[in-house]
Amino acid sequence: YVQLVESGGGSVQAGGSLRLACVVSGDTDGTCMGWFRQAPGKEREGVATIFTDGGAASYSDSVKGRFAISQSNAKDTLYLQMNDLKPEDTAMYYCAARDGPLCPRVDGRSWYRGGYWGQGTQVTVSS
């Protein structure tokens, strides 16, 4: 069983930065983890994903080059560094985890079937 608690959201101006954190309790070895977001009136979408036992991270095209996903050495915290924020990045951001080793694509809908989700943290970017 895995519990996820996000923090770090807030309000920033366009061009600013935020760092989200997701504290994870439970065994995260061999786990697919990711950040997702949902804006009002829109579907939830994948932002960045990672496999805790190694391998390259995956990013959505809309955040590639601006956001970076990482994990603590102890694999108990997942981060999302967000730079050059844009108004269109405004959304509720969620952390998610599911058993590996086969991780869905960052845009894969199977992320939304099962697994574990946090309660979300709001990011608001003003122009």
Side-chain angles (χ1 to χ4, degrees):
Y1 180 71
V2 173
Q3 282 189 306
L4 310 168
V5 180
E6 303 98 331
S7 63
S11 297
V12 295
Q13 290 195 321
S17 298
L18 283 173
R19 189 192 198 199
L20 306 184
C22 172
V23 175
V24 187
S25 61
D27 183 6
T28 57
D29 287 332
T31 301
C32 306
M33 298 200 67
W35 287 97
F36 299 77
R37 66 187 183 186
Q38 188 166 18
K42 294 190 176 182
E43 284 191 342
R44 193 168 297 190
E45 63 174 353
V47 174
T49 60
I50 195 170
F51 181 54
T52 59
D53 284 358
S58 297
Y59 297 92
S60 67
D61 288 343
S62 61
V63 307
K64 203 171 292 184
R66 300 188 296 122
F67 291 11
I69 188 172
S70 63
Q71 59 178 342
S72 64
N73 289 337
K75 300 181 185 178
D76 58 2
T77 306
L78 186 72
Y79 300 102
L80 185 68
Q81 178 66 44
M82 305 187 295
N83 299 325
D84 190 23
L85 282 160
K86 304 175 186 296
E88 52 263 41
D89 294 318
T90 294
M92 184 72 78
Y93 282 70
Y94 299 90
C95 175
R98 61 186 297 117
D99 291 337
L102 296 178
C103 299
R105 290 162 45 114
V106 64
D107 61 352
R109 304 308 296 176
S110 57
W111 279 101
Y112 310 112
R113 295 192 289 270
Y116 305 95
W117 289 84
Q119 83 290 347
T121 186
Q122 178 68 37
V123 172
T124 302
V125 185
S126 58
S127 57

